[in-house]
Amino acid sequence: MKILLIGASGIIGAAVNTALAPEHNVITANHSKGDLRVDLGSPDSIQAMLAAAGKVDAIISTAGLASFSAFNSLTDADYQLALQNKLMGQVNLVRLGQYCVNPGGSITLTSGVLSQCPMPGSTVLSMANGALESFVKAAALELDNLRLNVVSPIFVKETMIKMGMDTATGLSAADTANAYVCAITGKMNGQTLAAPDYIPSA
């Protein structure tokens, strides 16, 4: 398959690229490096990336910016970043990208466990993640010849290590990547794929 992977330079994105590259033609897109450049907060930038990529069999997004901060510390700019980038950036990938995906292909977005298991400081992330999951469930009902899903990762061990956190409750980026592989090779549609449910069998 020819796959457009947005956010390929991130921890999860890099793991997804590693998982897919041996068997597929992966075009990587990031804000500052990769095969293509894209600013998820700009529909024009998304459109330019899609035009450069051409027809693909799948689009995967592991990107999206949002702040992590105490509720009473959040500013209008924090909310706007989550809405414009994490949420609408991925929504626009579907709105614009549907015309670039070959029949029978798929688009896979990224939300996160904070939609279901929020914690102090996660307000804007939880908001955006929950909205993405509802968007996917509804939009999938109206997309012809295209499957739409969203992967919900839990905390990635590599990130937890960088933050000095206990990794016991985390999942490696490599194991997380398997949910994205299943999303593009499986039959599911309109689903939120909880990453721990797709850990490869030993």
Side-chain angles (χ1 to χ4, degrees), residues 11-13 16 60-63 86 90 108-117 125 129 132-133 149-160 169-180 192-198:
I11 291 175
I12 292 177
V16 173
I60 297 174
S61 170
T62 62
K86 175 75 172 178
Q90 295 193 87
T108 304
L109 308 180
T110 296
S111 59
V113 69
L114 292 172
S115 64
Q116 302 297 321
C117 302
L125 275 164
N129 289 345
L132 279 167
E133 292 168 7
N149 297 287
V150 58
V151 172
S152 176
I154 62 173
F155 281 105
V156 177
K157 288 187 176 183
E158 289 85 343
T159 301
M160 298 173 85
T169 59
L171 191 66
S172 72
D175 283 342
T176 301
N178 199 59
Y180 295 87
T192 296
L193 283 63
D197 294 343
Y198 294 87

Side-chain angles (χ1 to χ4, degrees), residues 4-200:
L4 175 60
L5 173 60
I6 298 101
S9 63
I11 291 175
I12 292 177
V16 173
N17 190 22
T18 297
L20 294 173
E23 296 184 14
H24 304 283
N25 174 19
V26 181
I27 302 170
T28 61
N30 300 282
H31 191 270
S32 59
K33 56 184 176 180
D35 299 320
L36 302 173
R37 303 286 183 273
V38 64
D39 175 3
L40 271 188
S42 166
D44 288 342
S45 179
I46 293 172
Q47 188 67 72
M49 173 196 64
L50 293 168
K55 286 287 189 178
V56 298
D57 299 300
I59 295 174
I60 297 174
S61 170
T62 62
L65 299 175
S67 301
F68 191 90
S69 185
F71 177 72
N72 286 325
S73 297
L74 292 168
T75 65
D76 287 349
D78 291 323
Y79 283 99
Q80 190 59 37
L81 176 65
L83 292 171
Q84 183 175 340
N85 197 291
K86 175 75 172 178
L87 177 56
M88 284 308 301
Q90 295 193 87
V91 168
N92 284 330
L93 276 176
V94 179
R95 295 176 63 219
L96 302 172
Q98 62 177 314
Y99 305 109
C100 301
V101 177
N102 291 321
S106 67
I107 299 177
T108 304
L109 308 180
T110 296
S111 59
V113 69
L114 292 172
S115 64
Q116 302 297 321
C117 302
M119 60 188 295
S122 75
T123 297
V124 292
L125 275 164
S126 298
M127 174 186 70
N129 289 345
L132 279 167
E133 292 168 7
S134 293
F135 164 77
V136 164
K137 186 183 296 185
L141 300 174
E142 301 186 57
L143 293 172
D144 296 326
N145 297 316
L146 169 66
R147 294 184 302 105
L148 175 64
N149 297 287
V150 58
V151 172
S152 176
I154 62 173
F155 281 105
V156 177
K157 288 187 176 183
E158 289 85 343
T159 301
M160 298 173 85
I161 290 171
K162 288 184 177 181
M163 298 174 65
M165 300 171 62
D166 181 358
T167 63
T169 59
L171 191 66
S172 72
D175 283 342
T176 301
N178 199 59
Y180 295 87
V181 175
C182 291
I184 67 168
T185 59
K187 301 295 184 182
M188 62 282 286
N189 187 35
Q191 300 297 307
T192 296
L193 283 63
D197 294 343
Y198 294 87
I199 298 174

